[in-house]
Amino acid sequence: MPPALDPIETLCALDLGGRGIGRLVVAGAMAGAARSLARAQRVALVTGFVARPAWAAETDGPSGTAVLGRALRRLGARVVYLADPPVAPLLEACLRVLGEPRDLIAVPAEPTAALRAARAAVSALRPTHLVAVERPGRAIDGGYYNARGRSIGAVNAPLDALFLRREPGTTTIGIGDGGNEIGMGRVRARVVRDVPNGAKIASVVRTDHLIVAGTSNWGAWGVTAHLALATGRALLHAPVEEARLIRAMVRAGAVDGLTGAAQPSVDNLPLRLHQALLETLRGLVGHLKTRRGPEAAAQEEETA
């Protein structure tokens, strides 16, 4: 019997960009990742995507990562963020907006040095969970590509290597929206079949849990929503905070990942649309909490 439809997952997987990502969704993965993260003790989060060599890092990823990281810290986990030079200012700006500790490790730009620094940081943390939100994952030929099949390896540090050689006992989670991100190795055959340029760009990097969403920020929100539902805590941010996050990223140098414009949009979808989806998600969590009642919530805790 197929798994029951998850309304949170369904909402966050809306393909408003018309990229065919709906066929990549792994049903139930969002709730499964949240169940695992609800028990997390130490989490390393990796984010950031430079979509073209001449561009800055994009607005999709850093803000969703900061929102998810805040939720995990509030639930008692130690949280550390890893970012390369194009992404670090964006992530720092998001953490500042949310009033979060800036436990950010900015690795060098040079690939070997970046990987050495990232591995040292992860080794020191000994994470129970390693999470990637909108981060390039290598293709079958070892290269890194944007959605159009252009090489972007020179402007994105090879942080996917952390997922290829993880510490024993570490749970890995990938959140993406295009097929070329860390985690998409779980559905590589679908990416090759259903995504334009899929045979070239499809990532081979697998994770234990893969969340596919309309934008990667929405995927991070969906996991946060499931954490809120499971714990009864108010963990999602508000639409007014979303506006502050996106504008802070643009001020820090971010661009829209599809247009390259320094404007408050994500994947060519305007800010007001993201705010509307976030408000709907918050309402949906409230509705599901009411419908489930305390008995169902207690049952969920027992099985988590």
Side-chain angles (χ1 to χ4, degrees):
M1 179 182 291
L5 287 176
D6 171 5
I8 292 174
E9 194 167 62
T10 300
L11 175 63
C12 294
L14 285 175
D15 188 11
L16 299 183
R19 293 183 285 180
I21 58 92
R23 293 184 286 274
L24 308 182
V25 173
V26 179
M30 191 174 276
R35 281 194 297 272
S36 181
L37 284 169
R39 301 187 297 269
Q41 296 174 309
R42 297 172 301 279
V43 185
L45 296 113
V46 182
T47 190
F49 200 115
V50 179
R52 294 199 194 179
W55 289 7
E58 64 176 86
T59 48
D60 194 19
S63 59
T65 302
V67 167
L68 178 57
R70 179 175 71 169
L72 294 169
R73 186 191 61 78
R74 287 179 172 177
L75 293 176
R78 184 184 172 198
V79 175
V80 169
Y81 303 86
L82 295 173
D84 49 0
V87 182
L90 280 57
L91 195 44
E92 186 172 5
C94 291
L95 294 171
R96 189 180 297 113
V97 166
L98 296 178
E100 284 294 284
R102 290 191 280 284
D103 292 326
L104 170 63
I105 297 167
V107 303
E110 196 277 321
T112 303
L115 196 48
R116 188 184 304 120
R119 281 189 170 138
V122 168
S123 178
L125 179 64
R126 294 182 300 109
T128 57
H129 292 75
L130 189 57
V131 182
V133 183
E134 186 69 7
R135 185 71 203 177
R138 68 193 66 187
I140 197 165
D141 65 357
Y144 300 85
Y145 301 101
N146 65 15
R148 295 181 179 175
R150 256 186 225 181
S151 175
I152 52 170
V155 286
N156 291 280
L159 299 183
D160 59 334
L162 298 172
F163 293 76
L164 291 169
R165 286 180 52 197
R166 59 177 165 175
E167 295 291 323
T170 303
T171 299
T172 56
I173 297 168
I175 302 176
D177 62 12
N180 52 354
E181 302 96 350
I182 292 171
M184 292 290 180
R186 280 190 71 92
V187 293
R188 185 177 181 277
R190 298 188 210 174
V191 176
V192 170
R193 183 189 66 210
D194 295 328
V195 173
N197 304 309
K200 182 174 185 179
I201 73 170
S203 173
V204 298
V205 183
R206 296 172 61 90
T207 49
D208 296 316
H209 303 275
L210 170 66
I211 290 94
V212 181
T215 73
S216 293
N217 281 343
W218 298 354
W221 299 355
V223 176
T224 304
H226 270 287
L227 285 168
L229 194 58
T231 63
R233 300 281 298 275
L235 298 174
L236 278 168
H237 61 312
V240 65
E241 289 179 297
E242 178 61 16
R244 290 175 187 147
L245 286 166
I246 294 183
R247 288 172 179 146
M249 284 191 289
V250 173
R251 285 195 299 272
V255 300
D256 185 292
L258 291 186
T259 68
Q263 62 188 32
S265 62
V266 177
D267 287 351
N268 205 24
L269 300 173
L271 171 58
R272 65 181 180 278
L273 191 150
H274 296 279
Q275 290 178 298
L277 189 138
L278 175 58
E279 188 59 39
T280 302
L281 183 58
R282 286 163 58 91
L284 180 56
V285 170
H287 170 71
L288 291 173
K289 280 181 181 176
T290 303
R291 196 179 72 183
R292 291 183 177 193
E295 189 177 329
Q299 243 178 10
E300 188 172 62
E301 277 188 27
E302 283 177 19
T303 56

